[in-house]
Amino acid sequence: MTTYDDTEANGMNERGALLDFPGADDLAAAGHVEPLSERALARMLAEVEAAVATEGAAVTAKGVTGVVVAIPQRRLLGRQFGRRRALIGLLTTAAVATGVVTYANNGTTSAGTGTHSEARANTATVFLDDISTVAASQSASSGKYWKTRTTVGTTYISQSMNYYVVNNGKVYKKGLRPGWQVGPKDLDWKGLEQLTMDSGKLLDLLQSPPRPKSISPFDQAVTLLTDSPASPKLRAGVFKAMGGLKGVKLLGQVKDSTGRGGTAVEFAEAKSLGQVIVDPKTSAILEYTFTWTAGPSKGKVTHQTFLSTGFTDKLG
């Protein structure tokens, strides 16, 4: 066991001493994990709170979604470092097990899910790379229709690209949906299934010279992630490609219009600004806001809050 007195003798600096606790490696390498049950989490939090009561560290419990731990570094050093080392291990276990990562744009790292580690810069590129891993780990599924449920209604797209909306409980056919734009291409359902999943090639496509009435690369990517039957591997490639866009910026932790927590990413172009909120545990897009900042549509805002998206075999 390392104590404050022997850190210099062992060539260990203060940071090294602070990271010398049970679970440090697990915290740094924590991948996407499923949250604990409420009962298991409550038992773990009770243990943490009991330890905190003894040691005087600060812990805030956030239901079943995560644990935020605040422990001043200087107070961790001293002749009782051994006992506090054990406490940190317990807190680390709780943070990793609850399956939550927090990203901020201030260069600091918080404990949680994903492949994010202290040694990596806290940028949109890193966040989107981590989310691509989460997206790739989701189960593949299929169905006759792609269903999108938002705060303003529910829509369906068939494999033949027929578009349906639900109004007062009834389903209405509204014609054919235009293809999904990916750079110079407009892809139907079958064309989307044949689209490359390589993030580098996807980035090249998204950044291809704009066409008349072309939407931004960021908007194209978000549309693929919400309004299309993209496979988990394709979604992973799209997230990673988004991280390569120049002008993409990590905003940090926010809440959408329904109160759900997520991580916001922003993309600014000459005439528009896009902002997306992503659930870091599932890679689901929670909300998207697109604002025209110049041109004849300046000030126009398109806002969508996604309650659920996925495959289904029936309408209504």
Side-chain angles (χ1 to χ4, degrees), residues 48-301:
V48 171
E49 288 168 355
V52 168
T54 301
E55 293 295 331
V59 175
T60 300
K62 289 188 175 182
V64 298
T65 58
V67 176
V68 177
V69 180
I71 304 177
Q73 289 187 357
R74 294 292 177 181
R75 291 179 58 194
L76 291 177
L77 296 175
R79 294 187 180 278
Q80 293 186 350
F81 184 82
R83 283 195 299 160
R84 297 194 178 191
R85 179 173 176 270
L87 172 60
I88 302 171
L90 178 60
L91 298 177
T92 299
T93 301
V96 173
T98 50
V100 171
V101 64
T102 58
Y103 293 85
N105 61 354
N106 58 4
T108 61
T109 303
S110 299
T113 342
T115 58
H116 195 78
S117 69
E118 284 189 24
R120 302 177 68 184
N122 221 344
T123 66
T125 300
V126 170
F127 170 71
L128 291 167
D129 184 59
D130 288 351
I131 291 301
S132 73
T133 302
V134 177
S137 71
Q138 302 301 301
S139 299
S141 58
S142 61
K144 295 180 180 179
Y145 306 94
W146 180 255
K147 178 181 178 180
T148 302
R149 189 166 68 93
T150 71
T151 51
V152 297
T154 302
T155 61
Y156 297 84
I157 302 171
S158 72
Q159 294 185 21
S160 57
M161 299 299 287
N162 285 310
Y163 187 70
Y164 303 84
V165 299
V166 177
N167 188 9
N168 293 326
K170 294 184 179 181
V171 179
Y172 297 88
K173 184 177 179 181
K174 305 297 286 186
L176 293 176
R177 187 207 185 280
W180 292 283
Q181 183 182 339
V182 185
K185 301 180 179 181
D186 286 317
L187 303 175
D188 59 13
W189 189 300
K190 184 174 292 186
L192 196 66
E193 292 176 341
Q194 299 170 350
L195 182 64
T196 179
M197 300 177 190
D198 180 85
S199 61
K201 294 179 180 178
L202 285 169
L203 179 59
D204 288 342
L205 284 173
L206 293 173
Q207 295 185 131
S208 296
R211 310 173 320 201
K213 298 183 180 180
S214 177
I215 59 178
S216 78
F218 192 78
D219 195 60
Q220 293 177 45
V222 174
T223 301
L224 286 176
L225 293 168
T226 57
D227 193 38
S228 85
S231 68
K233 289 185 178 180
L234 177 55
R235 294 184 80 253
V238 172
F239 273 119
K240 198 162 187 175
M242 288 172 72
L245 293 172
K246 293 182 179 179
V248 68
K249 178 182 178 182
L250 181 67
L251 300 182
Q253 304 305 297
V254 298
K255 289 186 177 181
D256 71 5
S257 59
T258 67
R260 296 174 298 178
T263 302
V265 174
E266 179 180 274
F267 180 74
E269 284 196 311
K271 295 183 178 182
S272 65
L273 179 69
Q275 184 183 116
V276 67
I277 302 175
V278 185
D279 183 341
K281 300 187 297 298
T282 66
S283 78
I285 303 295
L286 302 180
E287 196 163 83
Y288 183 51
T289 303
F290 183 87
T291 305
W292 288 102
T293 56
S297 298
K298 181 179 180 180
K300 183 179 179 181
V301 178

